[in-house]
Amino acid sequence: MNLWLLIAAINGALAVAAGAFGAHGLQGRLDAHQMEVFQTAARYHMYHALAIGLAALAARAGAASTQANVAAAFFLAGIILFSGSLYLLSLTGIRALGFVTPFGGLAFLVGWIALAWAAVRVV
């Protein structure tokens, strides 16, 4: 079993569900700014679900597996911290949650750097 590919697929499904919930379930319940924040969370959630899948495939290359696994872990951390904090911020209005968001963005950046490192190791 490829655990990271499974995690990618689950997160992809969750991102689609969140996007649909935002578009249909939250319409009229959140103001325009809250809706924009929620949709940003869903968009980055999907981007990085796909990135986890890419890292899962890269992990199959023996020389790059460690870096690809690190990338996937950081992408997952970014989804939890970045998208998670934005989902909660938009739904609850608790502004303090915005403090967590940049750490998720940083995790995304580290994940992309680790994936680039994996690409260099494969070549």
Side-chain angles (χ1 to χ4, degrees):
M1 179 176 75
N2 188 328
L3 181 60
W4 285 123
L5 196 54
L6 175 63
I7 290 170
I10 290 168
N11 272 282
L14 290 172
V16 170
F21 175 67
H24 303 290
L26 297 177
Q27 196 68 29
R29 295 179 182 193
L30 300 180
D31 65 30
H33 177 69
Q34 290 171 307
M35 282 297 294
E36 183 180 333
V37 169
F38 192 91
Q39 290 302 326
T40 297
R43 189 170 46 255
Y44 275 78
H45 191 166
M46 179 56 79
Y47 293 159
H48 291 89
L50 295 170
I52 292 170
L54 183 60
L57 296 176
R60 291 181 172 178
S65 64
T66 299
Q67 293 80 11
N69 284 309
V70 167
F74 274 99
F75 291 143
L76 181 58
I79 289 171
I80 293 166
L81 296 172
F82 183 88
S83 295
S85 68
L86 290 182
Y87 287 138
L88 289 172
L89 173 65
S90 65
L91 293 172
T92 67
I94 300 172
R95 312 272 301 149
L97 291 167
F99 175 74
V100 175
T101 308
F103 294 105
L106 183 60
F108 286 151
L109 288 171
V110 172
W112 286 109
I113 291 166
L115 190 58
W117 186 19
V120 169
R121 296 281 316 243
V122 170
V123 174

